[in-house]
Amino acid sequence: MDIQSLLARASEVELERFPWGEIRWLISGATDPGATMTVGVCRIDPGRSNPLHHHPNCDEVLYVLSGRWRKQIGDSSMKMGPDDVIRIPRGERHRAETISDEPMTCLIAYDTARREAVFLEDIA
């Protein structure tokens, strides 16, 4: 096995920018045809939130690296900060709003290489 073909450098992976922040997909079916999961790093800017959405085909795990946010899942919400981790069950609608002066950055992982997202609000 050529292990070099398994290596991805975050700085060389495409960055998706949005009005609320950005996502860098590190591993997915699009970046690695042999992948069985999706992993990325998400940043949400202070005072901003990503749109309400859900994933019909996968669970999501979020690990907060920096910043603080209010995480809404269904009709409930909670505050999260560095070193907090949460699993969002498949199909559960959710969003996050940064409530700190610094951006919230988290590692995100999905249990499929072909993550689907259904947005319930405008993505912008």
Side-chain angles (χ1 to χ4, degrees), residues 65-109:
L65 299 168
S66 64
R68 298 193 59 76
W69 66 354
R70 183 176 300 106
K71 185 68 182 171
Q72 175 188 341
I73 301 174
D75 294 327
S76 300
S77 67
M78 70 180 78
K79 292 180 181 176
M80 295 178 64
D83 290 332
D84 287 344
V85 63
I86 192 166
R87 180 185 64 86
I88 301 166
R90 170 187 329 251
E92 198 66 49
R93 58 190 173 88
H94 59 281
R95 82 168 114 220
E97 175 189 7
T98 299
I99 56 173
S100 58
D101 292 336
E102 66 177 307
M104 184 287 307
T105 303
C106 66
L107 182 69
I108 51 180

Side-chain angles (χ1 to χ4, degrees), residues 20-84:
W20 47 266
E22 61 190 33
I23 301 176
R24 186 179 305 271
W25 296 114
L26 304 174
I27 299 290
S28 71
T31 62
D32 177 354
T36 59
M37 59 189 305
T38 300
V39 177
V41 176
C42 176
R43 187 195 82 222
I44 299 178
D45 295 326
R48 304 301 306 254
S49 68
N50 62 349
L52 186 64
H53 65 285
H54 68 90
H55 306 286
N57 70 326
C58 56
D59 281 3
E60 177 177 6
V61 174
L62 300 159
Y63 174 69
V64 181
L65 299 168
S66 64
R68 298 193 59 76
W69 66 354
R70 183 176 300 106
K71 185 68 182 171
Q72 175 188 341
I73 301 174
D75 294 327
S76 300
S77 67
M78 70 180 78
K79 292 180 181 176
M80 295 178 64
D83 290 332
D84 287 344

Side-chain angles (χ1 to χ4, degrees), residues 16 18 20 23 25 50-56 94 110 115-124:
E16 291 184 27
F18 304 95
W20 47 266
I23 301 176
W25 296 114
N50 62 349
L52 186 64
H53 65 285
H54 68 90
H55 306 286
H94 59 281
Y110 304 86
R115 161 196 157 274
E116 296 173 5
V118 175
F119 291 93
L120 307 170
E121 299 176 327
D122 186 9
I123 196 165

